[in-house]
Amino acid sequence: MWLLEQDPTGEFRLTKHPPNDKIPEIPPYAILSHTRGDEEVLFRDLAGGTAKNKAGYAKIQFCGEQAERDGLRYFWVDTCCIDKSDAGELTCRRCSTGMLPYFRRGL
């Protein structure tokens, strides 16, 4: 699963969790619940460094700031934490059954 993290300079970066099979823990994280609008930030925008150019970036900033106020280092936003170019992340089985435990663990 991909989570967002704000680095010390205030920039957001995608981080993979768990990072490998030897570290099975997924850290506590916030989940942004939102309505979709124009120019949502996608995974490829964050990975490619073009996220700030989209109107939806304000939601990412808000969620990161709120997560920090709540004492959380990581947060998840559906529009940009799912790599839609990865077929494994888009399969119905994973979306319907695989993501449910992650939603339950979000704070």
Side-chain angles (χ1 to χ4, degrees):
M1 117 177 266
W2 291 97
L3 294 175
L4 285 163
E5 175 184 24
Q6 189 169 10
D7 69 21
T9 67
E11 297 292 317
F12 298 107
R13 64 176 170 227
L14 289 161
T15 58
K16 185 81 170 165
H17 296 275
N20 58 54
D21 293 335
K22 295 179 183 180
I23 304 172
E25 294 295 316
I26 295 173
Y29 60 94
I31 296 174
L32 174 63
S33 178
H34 65 108
T35 56
R36 295 193 181 204
D38 294 334
E39 296 190 340
E40 291 292 342
V41 174
L42 305 176
F43 183 91
R44 68 173 176 254
D45 300 321
L46 283 166
T50 59
K52 287 183 180 180
N53 301 333
K54 292 194 157 187
Y57 191 74
K59 288 193 258 185
I60 306 296
Q61 288 179 301
F62 169 79
C63 188
E65 291 165 0
Q66 185 61 52
E68 185 177 5
R69 283 191 295 273
D70 292 339
L72 298 168
R73 180 175 171 184
Y74 301 100
F75 60 103
W76 187 86
V77 180
D78 64 342
T79 57
C80 58
C81 289
I82 298 173
D83 181 1
K84 293 180 178 124
S85 69
D86 180 347
E89 289 193 33
L90 293 177
T91 61
C92 290
R93 182 174 177 266
R94 184 163 184 175
C95 290
S96 63
T97 60
M99 291 304 293
L100 186 58
Y102 296 124
F103 284 121
R104 285 187 180 143
R105 293 189 344 223
L107 302 173

